[in-house]
Amino acid sequence: GPGQSHWSYEDRQEWASRYPDCGGTMQSPIGIDTAETVFSPQLRPIQLAGYSLPSKETLKLKNNGHTVVLELPESLAITSGYAQQYRAVQLHLHWGSLAGPGSEHTVNNHRFPAEIHVVHYNTKYDNIEEAMVHPDGLAVLGAFLQVGPRENPYYRQILEHLYKIQGEDEEVFVPGFNIAGLLPANLNLYFRYNGSLTTPPCYQTVKWTVFNQTVQLSQDQMSVLVTTLRGDDNSPLQNNFRELQKLHGRHVLASFQ
Ligand SMILES: NS(=O)(=O)c1c(F)c(F)c(SCCc2ccc(C(=O)O)cc2)c(F)c1NC1CCCCCCC1
Ligand SMILES: [Zn+2]
């Protein structure tokens, strides 16, 4: 990853002093107020290609002390919904604890239990390190996780390995599966806005897609997500979400009315 990150969610008020972009005017996450979103018919349905990976392919699943990251092959691509083509780099999650929710974005002041981010880079750049310093460099697909009546077989492919990587910097290889199963079935309904990475260096180079439809996990699965991992000095890795950032005049677009 991009060098060691000697920051934590506890010292987030200090981020801007060491990473100037963290104090910028196009920061993420934001609170989405559906009364203020602008319907934009030119926002086409998101289409994904190559997201269904054979089980013989193995993917690295890592506890990096801030979240759990599943590294993704560049063969996964967003083929519609953005002006340019973007290819996958990694996906990771943000969550709360047994005491409360931990999504990064909110909708009408509602915070969801958790949120998935699938990070992609613009293929006009050679790699993510180059892409992430350009305004059109990154596309992150975000979706909210909620508790429902049934176990989610796609999240099971990640959650069943978490006990093996409880400690910071521990990693394990997991078999490929259909990564699209981690996202909502309906990829037509989404919010779009220009924002940033929600972690230092907070580069303001992310074209965010936040899906309107949520993904459902069982209560047991959500409990595994919020209780298994450990971060710095073995403390529970929980509430790994950044506080809401001001819009500074930005408009949130919606692909639906
Ligand atoms: N919501 S987000 O997309 O901004 C985001 C977070 F909020 C994140 F919290 C994270 S994890 C923190 C950054 C980090 C730390 C260590 C390592 C490592 O040891 O490999 C890697 C990364 C995290 F990895 C990401 N996404 C990364 C941002 C880091 C720089 C670009 C790499 C892919 C996207
Ligand atoms: Zn994230």
Side-chain angles (χ1 to χ4, degrees), residues 12-169:
R12 68 182 126 210
Q13 298 318 326
E14 308 306 313
W15 287 3
S17 59
R18 293 183 50 193
Y19 307 94
D21 288 10
C22 298
T25 61
M26 290 180 49
Q27 289 292 291
S28 295
I30 59 167
I32 295 168
D33 176 352
T34 57
E36 300 295 324
T37 56
V38 176
F39 169 54
S40 304
Q42 80 271 14
L43 290 177
R44 310 312 309 144
I46 297 292
Q47 287 181 342
L48 307 173
Y51 263 58
S52 192
L53 295 171
S55 57
K56 62 179 180 299
E57 185 146 359
T58 62
L59 306 170
K60 184 190 287 186
L61 187 70
K62 177 177 181 178
N63 171 351
N64 69 17
H66 303 280
T67 181
V68 55
V69 179
L70 184 67
E71 294 187 359
L72 298 171
E74 296 190 347
S75 53
L76 280 66
I78 301 174
T79 55
S80 168
Y82 281 88
Q84 299 165 51
Q85 189 183 89
Y86 289 82
R87 288 189 177 275
V89 175
Q90 54 107 299
L91 65 83
H92 62 272
L93 301 169
H94 298 268
W95 59 87
S97 68
L98 291 177
S103 64
E104 291 222 289
H105 293 88
T106 62
V107 179
N108 298 338
N109 294 315
H110 177 76
R111 192 177 296 277
F112 294 84
E115 185 171 334
I116 182 172
H117 290 159
V118 190
V119 182
H120 304 72
Y121 76 95
N122 188 327
T123 54
K124 78 192 228 187
Y125 305 110
D126 290 340
N127 53 49
I128 184 156
E129 283 76 15
E130 196 209 326
M132 68 182 174
V133 297
H134 294 88
D136 60 353
L138 302 180
V140 182
L141 303 182
F144 298 117
L145 312 186
Q146 284 191 301
V147 172
R150 282 186 308 282
E151 188 197 37
N152 185 309
Y154 301 98
Y155 277 86
R156 178 180 185 169
Q157 307 282 335
I158 292 174
L159 297 172
E160 69 182 2
H161 299 285
L162 291 192
Y163 76 95
K164 304 171 194 168
I165 56 170
Q166 291 185 50
E168 184 174 17
D169 292 334

